Amino acid sequence: MPIKRRILLVATGGTIASQLSAHGLRPDLDGAQLLSYVPELQEEYEIEAIQVCNIDSTNMTPKVWDEIVAAVECKYLYYDGFVICHGTDTMAYTSAALSYMIQNSNKPIVVTGSQKPISEENTDARQNLIDSIRYAGDPLSQGVVLIFNGNVIAGTRAKKTYAHSYNAFSSVNFPVLAVIQERKIIRFIPQQVYQEPVRFCYHLNDSIVILKLIPGTKPELLEYLFQNYDCIVIESFGVGGIPQSLLDTFYEQMEKWISTGKLVVMATQVANEGSNMEVYEVGQRIKEDFHLMEAYDMTLEATVTKLMYLMSVCRGSFTAIYDGFYKTVNYDILSR
Ligand code: ASP
C-alpha cells in the first residue's frame, strides 16, 4: 500500500467554519469538524488539524499572520503540504503576506475558504477544501497559493473581485498557475527552482497606510499621514500621478520626511494592467524628483504586504527596500 501524503490543516475561522448565530454568521467549527465534512479524503491522505484562531477574517492582523507562520514552521518537516482555512474578506492579504513570510518553500501552502459555510447543503466549501487538500498532497505542488472555485492562484496575485459568487477570486495581471477539474490538476506554469532553502520571517512592520485619491483630496491629509506612518501607498488614478492641488504639500512633506527614511509608493486604483508613472507629466516629475517606487503590475495586497515585509527585514535601508521591492517573489511583479 502506498504511503499516504501528510497534510496539516491550519484552521483560522471564516465563513467556511461559520454557523448562523442570532446576529448573523459567526466562525464556530474547528479544524477537525471541517475535516468531518470531507471523510473520503481521510482514506487518501493522512490529515491532521490545528486551530490558530477562530475569527471572521475582517479581524485578521499581522500578529495572527505570525501565528500562522509559526504553526507551519514548527510542523514543516512532518507534513508534505499545508492547507490554511481562512475567511475570504482578507484572504488575498494573507496569501500575499505568507508569500513573503514563507519563501522558497518546495512544499505547498494553500490558503482557501468559501462563500458559504461548510455545514450548509448548498456550499462551495466542500469542493474548495477537497481541491486544496488534493493540491497540497500532490508532489508537484509548491509555494504559497490561494485555491478557490477550481483556480490555483499565486499567493501574490489573488484579489477578491466578487462579493457573493463562488468565483470570488481573480488572478490579477498574471495567469492562474493551475486549474483543478474533478481530481485532475492541470498546470500552466512550470515549477520554480529555488536556489535557497525555505525561509520563515515574522513581525512585519505595519506602520503603513493607503491613501486612495479622490478628485479634491485635501492636502492636510498628507501632513497627517506623513507624521503618523513610515510608509504611504498612494492609490492614484489611471497609470499614476499626483494632482496639482496636492503638489505643494507633497514636495514640502517629502523634503521634510524623506531623510528620516519614510517611504512613499505609488499604486493605481485601476484593477488591471498596473501603473506607469512615466507616461504623464503629473507622474513623471515627482517620480524623478523623489526616486519614488511604484507598484506597476503588483496587486495592492502584494504591494502593502511586501512593503511591511521589507520594512521589517531591511531595517531602514532605502536602497535595500528599493531593490527588494522590485525583486520578484512568488510571481508578484513582472514589469518595471
Ligand atoms: N466575513 C467572512 C470572513 O472573511 C467572509 C468569508 O469568509 O467569506 O471571514
Side-chain angles (χ1 to χ4, degrees), residues 14-16 55-58 86-90 114-115 160:
T15 296
I16 192 167
I55 58 172
D56 188 299
S57 80
T58 304
H86 195 288
T88 60
D89 291 344
T90 57
S114 63
Q115 293 281 51
K160 188 173 181 183

Side-chain angles (χ1 to χ4, degrees), residues 28-332:
D28 187 28
L29 305 183
D30 64 21
Q33 287 170 308
L34 290 178
L35 285 174
S36 72
Y37 285 87
V38 287
E40 64 272 37
L41 291 178
Q42 299 282 0
E43 285 159 29
E44 282 176 61
Y45 304 95
E46 202 176 315
I47 316 172
E48 274 153 44
I50 56 166
Q51 196 76 31
V52 162
C53 56
N54 215 345
I55 58 172
D56 188 299
S57 80
T58 304
N59 296 317
M60 188 50 63
T61 61
K63 194 169 165 292
V64 181
W65 291 337
D66 281 346
E67 290 167 29
I68 296 172
V69 174
V72 173
E73 182 173 14
C74 77
K75 306 276 180 167
Y76 193 77
L77 291 179
Y78 306 106
Y79 292 89
D80 299 302
F82 301 82
V83 175
I84 296 156
C85 288
H86 195 288
T88 60
D89 291 344
T90 57
M91 193 187 285
Y93 280 98
T94 296
S95 68
L98 295 182
S99 300
Y100 302 113
M101 297 170 81
I102 309 173
Q103 293 188 36
N104 311 319
S105 174
N106 270 318
K107 297 185 178 183
I109 295 145
V110 179
V111 187
T112 195
S114 63
Q115 293 281 51
K116 298 274 183 224
I118 204 161
S119 55
E120 285 189 12
E121 205 177 311
N122 289 319
T123 178
D124 52 336
R126 284 190 72 251
Q127 195 58 51
N128 286 346
L129 191 54
I130 290 170
D131 286 348
S132 298
I133 290 172
R134 290 234 159 90
Y135 187 87
D138 190 286
L140 294 179
S141 303
Q142 56 174 189
V144 178
V145 299
L146 184 152
I147 293 186
F148 219 89
N149 199 41
N151 291 317
V152 181
I153 301 172
T156 57
R157 290 292 185 174
K159 188 175 276 294
K160 188 173 181 183
T161 45
Y162 291 91
H164 304 289
S165 308
Y166 285 176
N167 189 23
F169 286 88
S170 303
S171 183
V172 175
N173 298 332
F174 197 77
V176 293
L177 300 180
V179 291
I180 305 172
Q181 288 169 353
E182 305 287 330
R183 302 171 66 99
K184 232 170 147 184
I185 301 170
I186 301 161
R187 296 175 190 274
F188 303 121
I189 306 284
Q191 271 191 307
Q192 304 216 68
V193 180
Y194 297 117
Q195 307 294 352
E196 290 170 40
V198 61
R199 196 172 64 227
F200 298 90
C201 157
Y202 297 86
H203 311 305
L204 302 190
N205 180 340
D206 63 356
S207 183
I208 180 166
V209 66
I210 296 172
L211 171 60
K212 184 170 192 152
L213 296 185
I214 57 167
T217 294
K218 305 261 185 306
E220 304 86 88
L221 203 51
L222 271 179
E223 279 180 56
Y224 175 84
L225 298 180
F226 270 108
Q227 268 165 30
N228 288 281
Y229 293 91
D230 293 340
C231 179
I232 308 173
V233 176
I234 300 184
E235 234 193 322
S236 182
F237 313 114
V239 289
I242 300 265
Q244 190 69 37
S245 55
L246 295 185
L247 271 189
D248 287 348
T249 313
F250 189 77
Y251 271 80
E252 189 187 298
Q253 294 293 312
M254 282 300 277
E255 272 150 19
K256 186 157 135 201
W257 291 110
I258 208 155
S259 57
T260 66
K262 298 215 175 188
L263 303 167
V264 173
V265 178
M266 299 297 295
T268 175
Q269 297 174 19
V270 182
N272 291 293
E273 299 179 345
S275 71
N276 182 357
M277 290 189 65
E278 273 143 51
V279 177
Y280 294 101
E281 196 183 354
V282 287
Q284 200 184 97
R285 270 209 26 227
I286 54 159
K287 180 167 178 180
E288 277 167 11
D289 287 350
F290 296 107
H291 205 44
L292 289 186
M293 289 179 274
E294 64 174 308
Y296 290 112
D297 58 298
M298 290 177 77
T299 65
L300 192 70
E301 292 85 345
T303 303
V304 166
T305 53
K306 191 175 198 175
L307 287 163
M308 286 176 158
Y309 162 74
L310 290 170
M311 287 195 296
S312 162
V313 296
C314 300
R315 304 195 180 279
S317 159
F318 179 79
T319 321
I321 293 176
Y322 190 94
D323 292 347
F325 189 69
Y326 289 125
K327 198 172 152 227
T328 303
V329 177
N330 199 15
Y331 310 102
D332 62 352

